[in-house]
Amino acid sequence: MQICRSIDSLRDQLADWRQASKTLAFVPTMGNLHAGHLKLIEEAQKTADKVIVSIFVNPTQFGPTEDFSRYPRTEADDIAALKAQNTDLLFLPSTDEIYPAGEQTRITVDRLSALHCGAFRPGHFSGVATIVCKLFNLVQPDLAVFGLKDYQQLVVIRTLVRDLNLAVTLVGVDTVRETSGLAMSSRNRYLTPEEHQIAPKLYDVLCQTRCAIDAGEKNFRSLETQALLKLRSLGFIPDYFNICRSNDLELADFSDKNLVILTAAKLGNTRLIDNIYFASSW
Ligand code: PAF
């Protein structure tokens, strides 16, 4: 596996592969890799000749009171996992090169960035859109692979790619879950053992709400209120629980067919997000 720590070395290697007509797939990450990330790499390997992974803990997507400084950085373990997965190239840029002194440009996908997580994390999706746009410019991949656990993030990136006419195909990969149903996330390591027992109930409440919709419940706002009450009774402090249209993430009603239920909730000091997407069965 090649490891490129500078933009110049990345560009040199990618130029060789393009010259040799290799197709390139890209998996951007913030490191602390788990089975969910490895599944993204496996998907990328199915469709491209070369797979490039980046690890960059992006400061602009963290708010001032969020966990940027304590976000888990596990470079040696990540390199070992990527080598074992036969990754072709790891891009590990420095913050100074990605955000040069005096930088002042941001990409914002207006409406989508204000919804759901965006309402609770001002600036977060602008930071995500900016770093993803920079990384796409640097790597210029044929396709890029993202986890559907961050469903809103993927819709933001899809919109960015469409609006800026970027020539990259996006692939979304299903969430990898622990046997308990808890969605895999680098932030799960912040959970205490007791919280780890409660955390899978976030997915249970999503599944119960989906079942109620499948059984014909048409009052989505009432389902959201019931879910919020249930989460509070289980010990979560929910930010939101919203039944949305899966394409534009606006609140759905019973006439909408393709749905995603998005939720975020704090458990102790850890903020968990999860979702479930489905076509309604009536
Ligand atoms: O999903 C993530 O890990 C990050 O938001 C991403 C897409 C790598 C941008 O920093």
Side-chain angles (χ1 to χ4, degrees), residues 28-30 37 56 58 61 128 131-132 146 150 153 157:
T29 81
M30 297 205 299
H37 295 107
F56 180 68
N58 173 38
Q61 70 188 75
V128 170
I131 187 62
V132 169
F146 293 87
D150 297 300
Q153 168 172 281
I157 294 167

